[in-house]
Amino acid sequence: MPVIKIKRGLAANVPALTLEAGELALATDTGKVYVGTGSGDKVMVNPDQAAAETAVKLKTARTIALVGDATGSTPFDGSANATITVVLPNLATAGTYTKLTINAKGQVISATQITAADIPMLTLSKISDAGTAASKNTGTAAGNVPLIGANGKLDDSILPALAISDTFVVASQAAMLALTAEVGDIAVRTDLNKTFILRLSGASTLANWQEILAPTAAVSSVAGKTGVVTLAASDVGLGNVTNESKATMFTNPSFTNPVVTTQATSDNSTKAASTAFVKAQGYLSAADTIDGGTF
């Protein structure tokens, strides 16, 4: 009759046991029973239900899934490794942005471009490349940076207005009114032989043009001559006058008989004395002669 052998001991000693075919071993501390296979191995005959050491795969396949901030799933029955493709939610539009909003989990939940309102107020000392003009006040006082006015020009106290006048030659009033002219421009009217200046803006309005009047006592000719005038002595009543040098005009002068006014006998001035004046003084008689002349 066959003999049934049963060994007993602690579970820690089971791995070292060598059981014959059909030989049993009882782990007294765990209650597990092992039976020998005859090949030097042993098998537990009362394992716990669904113990992994006795299952090749799960009796019922399951699905492992991720939920929450990331999603993904994969079927799993224990027969092979399984991987899950993690899908992150689209919380923003793909692109390059300068401003991001991040939640407590480090996720980007919005993305926009930075605006001027996002830049904090900084003092000039925090900016290294603003230049010297940035530290100046604006205005028209000394040391200020002047501003361009609404008319696109500097204030007159900074740079007085400059006017460059153009001159237009036109043959009619209509041509003058059709000019693209600015205040101060000149229009020469060949039909009138007159000149006009634009005194107010709006060249198409006749009243804005002012005639430049010539002097009322204008010189029209000189000594009866017009144009480029070259005068001779005779043109001004000096035909008998010859040019004489100061160096020679009193050397051996040749005089004609000048007629002078006879002064009063009592006249003691430096006026020229006539023959009558001299005779009245009793200095000469009718027989007296001067340089061969006869009185």
Side-chain angles (χ1 to χ4, degrees), residues 24-52:
L24 300 176
L26 172 64
T28 57
D29 55 344
T30 62
K32 300 300 180 183
V33 177
Y34 300 86
V35 61
T37 62
S39 60
D41 199 1
K42 49 192 170 293
V43 176
M44 181 186 296
V45 295
N46 62 336
D48 294 335
Q49 186 176 3

Side-chain angles (χ1 to χ4, degrees), residues 122-136 145:
L122 299 175
T123 61
L124 188 59
S125 62
K126 298 293 184 179
I127 303 174
S128 61
D129 59 350
T132 57
S135 62
K136 303 294 183 181
V145 177

Side-chain angles (χ1 to χ4, degrees), residues 155-176:
D155 189 271
D156 286 349
S157 63
I158 301 297
L159 182 64
L162 300 176
I164 301 176
S165 297
D166 289 327
T167 300
F168 302 93
V169 179
V170 293
S172 65
Q173 175 179 299
M176 181 177 72

Side-chain angles (χ1 to χ4, degrees), residues 22-146:
E23 185 178 6
L24 300 176
L26 172 64
T28 57
D29 55 344
T30 62
K32 300 300 180 183
V33 177
Y34 300 86
V35 61
T37 62
S39 60
D41 199 1
K42 49 192 170 293
V43 176
M44 181 186 296
V45 295
N46 62 336
D48 294 335
Q49 186 176 3
E53 60 181 307
T54 62
V56 176
K57 65 178 181 178
L58 298 176
K59 180 178 180 180
T60 303
R62 302 295 181 180
T63 297
I64 299 176
L66 301 175
V67 296
D69 295 325
T71 59
S73 64
T74 185
F76 180 73
D77 63 2
S79 63
N81 294 332
T83 59
I84 298 175
T85 300
V86 178
V87 179
L88 297 175
N90 293 326
L91 301 178
T93 303
T96 301
Y97 299 94
T98 55
K99 180 181 177 181
L100 304 176
T101 301
I102 300 175
N103 63 17
K105 298 179 181 180
Q107 293 175 302
V108 176
I109 57 177
S110 69
T112 58
Q113 300 297 345
I114 195 170
T115 65
D118 298 317
I119 301 174
M121 297 295 292
L122 299 175
T123 61
L124 188 59
S125 62
K126 298 293 184 179
I127 303 174
S128 61
D129 59 350
T132 57
S135 62
K136 303 294 183 181
N137 293 326
T138 58
T140 58
N144 287 168
V145 177

Side-chain angles (χ1 to χ4, degrees), residues 191-251:
D191 58 328
L192 300 177
N193 287 329
K194 293 183 178 181
T195 301
F196 296 82
I197 185 170
L198 185 63
R199 61 186 183 87
L200 296 175
S201 180
S204 61
T205 301
L206 181 60
N208 293 344
W209 290 92
Q210 174 65 52
E211 179 184 352
I212 300 177
L213 301 177
T216 56
V219 176
S220 59
S221 66
V222 177
K225 296 182 177 183
T226 59
V228 179
V229 176
T230 302
L231 295 177
S234 60
D235 294 326
V236 290
L238 298 176
N240 296 325
V241 178
T242 59
N243 293 330
E244 186 67 49
S245 170
K246 289 176 61 178
T248 62
M249 65 184 300
F250 295 112
T251 302

